[in-house]
């Protein structure tokens, strides 16, 4: 990569013994960091951190973009994802009917391990964090559990549980047909194996024009797909190659679609930024409006709703919203 940053990979230990992977991305000129808070970046439901925040293509590393602007970034893989330690069950075939591995509440332990390391490293009391999708829900939950350790949270494409129209709720394959309103554990079980076509299909569906390459660099899709495989040492054992992910965040997403709030936002006291792309089908207006209504104790709430942008605005071409989103985030964090 040609960016003016330095990368370092290491692990921290969670309170319950998991080795949690972090990638540090910092500016080569550390004087740029003056007055800029360190920023943890947390991935979404099925996808590890590097594939979302640090791709080796132009404009593919949001971590490098933020680091060049002075923000030390720490990309986190929750247990069961990417370079972090996986539950032992994930070394065996998926088991239908078993409990979903790695629920959102467990991931707060992984965040806390990273937060405590960063607090000690920088000599600060509180840390900023950014979460994608259900990763944003994790950030809300963490901020409620440890308000004294949290200064800012950026909720990117997040779901809260306040309502909306989704395709994974009642009557979907995610609902147990024999127990309406329950996650379909008999089918999906403890973890699943994902093929790469899921990413392209979902991204293409978000883009509102016929020529997808005019909106998204085709090299970005290739790099994202390769990073998904690179993040799982077992990916080449599948035909075609595929990657594993725990089902805990998916189960939590299902229940939030049914309007179950995993955490109430009145317990959040830090500064909050919501990034709510207009074309995103996960992060919906009605849900974010209820989240804002519940954020009664937050020090500040910024609702950034960029028009004509997708779930992948951070990785779309710069003129499709990435540049404007970066500017809005920098203004919020500083």
């Amino acid at each position: 990569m040609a960016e003016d940053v330095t990368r370092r990979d290491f692990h921290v230990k969670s309170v319950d013994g998991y080795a949690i992977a972090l990638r540090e991305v910092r500016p080569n000129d550390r004087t740029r960091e003056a007055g800029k808070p360190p920023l943890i970046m947390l991935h979404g439901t099925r996808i590890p951190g590097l594939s979302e925040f640090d791709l080796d293509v132009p404009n593919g590393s949001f971590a490098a973009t933020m680091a060049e602007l002075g923000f030390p970034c720490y990309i986190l893989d929750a247990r069961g994802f990417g370079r972090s330690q996986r539950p032992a069950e994930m070394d065996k075939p998926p088991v239908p009917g078993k409990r979903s591995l790695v629920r959102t509440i467990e991931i707060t332990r992984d965040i806390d391990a990273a937060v405590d390391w960063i607090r000690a490293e920088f000599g600060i009391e509180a840390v900023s964090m950014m979460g994608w999708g259900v990763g944003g829900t994790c950030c809300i939950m963490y901020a409620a559990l440890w308000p004294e350790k949290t200064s800012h949270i950026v909720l990117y494409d997040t779901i809260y549980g306040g309502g909306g129209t989704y395709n994974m709720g009642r009557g979907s394959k995610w609902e147990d047909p024999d127990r309406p309103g329950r996650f379909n554990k008999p089918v999906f079980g403890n973890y699943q194996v994902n093929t790469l076509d899921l990413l392209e299909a979902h991204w293409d569906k978000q883009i509102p024009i016929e020529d997808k390459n005019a909106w998204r660099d085709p090299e970005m899709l290739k790099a994202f797909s390769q990073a998904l495989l690179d993040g799982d040492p077992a990916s080449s054992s599948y035909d075609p190659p595929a990657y594993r992910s725990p089902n805990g965040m998916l189960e939590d997403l299902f229940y939030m679609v049914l309007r179950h709030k995993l955490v109430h936002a009145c317990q959040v006291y830090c500064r909050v930024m919501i990034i709510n792309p207009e074309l995103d089908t996960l992060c919906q207006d009605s849900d974010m409006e209820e989240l804002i209504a519940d954020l009664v104790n937050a020090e500040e709430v910024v609702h950034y709703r960029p028009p004509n942008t997708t779930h992948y605005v951070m990785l779309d071409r710069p003129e499709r919203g990435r540049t404007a989103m970066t500017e809005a985030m920098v203004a919020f964090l500083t």
Side-chain angles (χ1 to χ4, degrees):
M1 297 184 185
E3 305 99 340
D4 188 19
V5 300
T6 300
R7 290 173 171 80
R8 178 167 69 107
D9 292 322
F10 60 100
H11 289 77
V12 293
K13 191 73 76 173
S14 70
V15 69
D16 51 349
Y18 278 89
I20 303 303
L22 289 176
R23 171 167 290 181
E24 178 185 72
V25 185
R26 295 181 70 175
N28 289 328
D29 179 2
R30 297 292 174 85
T31 62
R32 296 182 192 172
E33 294 181 351
K36 309 288 178 58
L39 179 64
I40 291 175
M41 294 178 162
L42 179 61
H43 57 81
T45 308
R46 300 191 222 192
I47 295 174
L50 298 189
S51 54
E52 293 184 332
F53 295 108
D54 198 27
L55 298 176
D56 189 10
V57 288
N59 303 305
S61 176
F62 195 67
T65 296
M66 294 300 290
E68 287 180 322
L69 293 168
F71 297 89
C73 292
Y74 293 86
I75 304 168
L76 186 151
D77 285 336
R79 62 189 68 190
F81 293 86
R83 304 149 300 142
S84 286
Q85 183 179 348
R86 289 175 170 78
E89 298 96 311
M90 293 183 69
D91 291 327
K92 302 173 184 177
V95 182
K98 284 282 190 178
R99 74 171 185 90
S100 299
L101 293 171
V102 189
R103 302 295 296 273
T104 304
I105 189 69
E106 296 173 77
I107 295 174
T108 61
R109 301 173 187 171
D110 306 340
I111 298 172
D112 196 46
V115 166
D116 281 349
W117 186 91
I118 292 168
R119 292 168 69 227
E121 177 74 5
F122 286 85
I124 57 177
E125 291 299 318
V127 174
S128 301
M129 59 192 70
M130 173 185 190
W132 187 332
V134 181
T137 313
C138 293
C139 292
I140 298 171
M141 190 174 290
Y142 185 86
L145 288 168
W146 285 284
E148 71 278 11
K149 298 183 185 182
T150 312
S151 63
H152 305 68
I153 56 174
V154 178
L155 310 177
Y156 174 83
D157 298 338
T158 294
I159 185 167
Y160 174 58
T165 304
Y166 303 92
N167 60 7
M168 69 169 296
R170 296 284 188 180
S172 72
K173 67 178 182 178
W174 307 104
E175 184 179 45
D176 185 341
D178 297 324
R179 304 175 76 193
R182 304 289 184 89
F183 183 67
N184 198 353
K185 190 167 61 173
V187 169
F188 293 103
N190 54 353
Y191 80 94
Q192 64 184 296
V193 178
N194 307 286
T195 55
L196 295 179
D197 57 329
L198 291 171
L199 170 65
E200 184 171 6
H202 185 258
W203 204 336
D204 282 355
K205 197 172 183 179
Q206 295 269 320
I207 297 173
I209 60 175
E210 190 66 29
D211 183 4
K212 308 305 179 186
N213 291 342
W215 194 286
R216 173 197 64 214
D217 184 345
E219 294 302 312
M220 190 74 74
L221 179 62
K222 290 180 186 176
F224 200 140
S225 299
Q226 187 59 50
L228 291 174
L229 299 181
D230 292 345
D232 186 346
S235 62
S236 61
S237 65
Y238 300 100
D239 186 18
Y243 64 97
R244 297 166 293 169
S245 63
N247 277 338
M249 293 175 89
L250 268 174
E251 180 168 351
D252 288 338
L253 175 57
F254 171 79
Y255 284 116
M256 285 189 286
V257 163
L258 297 186
R259 297 188 67 108
H260 296 289
K261 296 174 183 177
L262 305 185
V263 57
H264 199 284
C266 72
Q267 299 171 95
V268 172
Y269 289 84
C270 64
R271 292 182 165 88
V272 181
M273 180 180 189
I274 298 165
I275 299 177
N276 181 189
E278 182 184 14
L279 304 176
D280 185 18
T281 56
L282 181 68
C283 184
Q284 298 190 15
D285 290 347
S286 57
D287 192 20
M288 294 301 97
E289 287 165 4
E290 187 150 341
L291 170 58
I292 291 166
D294 286 351
L295 284 166
V296 293
N297 291 312
E299 187 173 346
E300 176 188 18
V301 178
V302 174
H303 188 192
Y304 178 64
R305 190 173 184 273
N308 205 33
T309 52
T310 76
H311 183 78
Y312 300 91
V313 58
M314 195 169 63
L315 296 172
D316 288 327
R317 293 187 182 275
E319 66 273 16
R320 298 294 185 179
R322 185 185 195 272
T323 299
M325 185 193 109
T326 303
E327 293 170 351
M329 232 181 100
V330 168
F332 168 71
L333 290 172
T334 53

